[in-house]
Amino acid sequence: MRIYKQYFDMIKSGAKTVEIRVAYPSMKSITVGMIILFNNDSKCARRVKRVTTYKSFAEMMSNEDPKTLNPYRTAQEQLADIRKIFSPDKEKLGIIAFELEKV
């Protein structure tokens, strides 16, 4: 799974334990127990511990601990960052949060 470097580095270090994605069909197929390899780096393989779906980024931010998404930014800053990455049309597809654990 491709991911921006700043978020990849946080996952690799263990600081980021929840990854969020728009609910594209390919993302909906990810289930608990699956292994995700980020940026084709074998040192960044993570097992999916939990999958949670949300209707919007705001709902997701209200239910997830912001520190698990990005421990260096506030919830409000993260929401603004997310909305720069994903358009409102993408958000309408729904949001999926994957809780990750090191393999």
Side-chain angles (χ1 to χ4, degrees):
M1 183 180 292
R2 301 294 306 158
I3 189 169
Y4 288 118
K5 183 174 178 0
Q6 68 183 21
Y7 302 114
F8 171 80
D9 290 343
M10 284 187 259
I11 289 173
K12 194 170 182 178
S13 74
K16 177 178 172 62
T17 58
V18 174
E19 171 62 5
I20 60 166
R21 294 292 169 131
V22 169
Y24 297 116
S26 61
M27 294 296 118
K28 290 179 179 180
S29 68
I30 296 173
T31 59
V32 171
M34 288 181 76
I35 305 296
I36 297 175
L37 184 63
F38 289 94
N39 292 354
N40 292 320
D41 185 328
S42 62
K43 294 180 183 172
C44 199
R46 298 293 183 267
R47 179 175 290 110
V48 177
K49 189 173 173 181
R50 171 180 59 88
V51 178
T52 307
T53 58
Y54 298 103
K55 293 179 184 176
S56 68
F57 291 120
E59 180 187 16
M60 182 271 309
M61 288 303 292
S62 295
N63 289 282
E64 296 289 337
D65 179 353
K67 291 180 181 180
T68 64
L69 299 164
N70 183 340
Y72 311 110
R73 307 274 285 165
T74 67
Q76 294 79 14
E77 291 170 330
Q78 289 185 59
L79 194 52
D81 292 344
I82 290 165
R83 290 202 165 124
K84 288 177 188 172
I85 297 170
F86 299 108
S87 70
D89 287 341
K90 301 294 184 194
E91 184 175 8
K92 288 178 187 177
L93 297 172
I95 311 305
I96 303 175
F98 303 104
E99 184 176 359
L100 307 168
E101 63 184 356
K102 195 171 184 177
V103 177

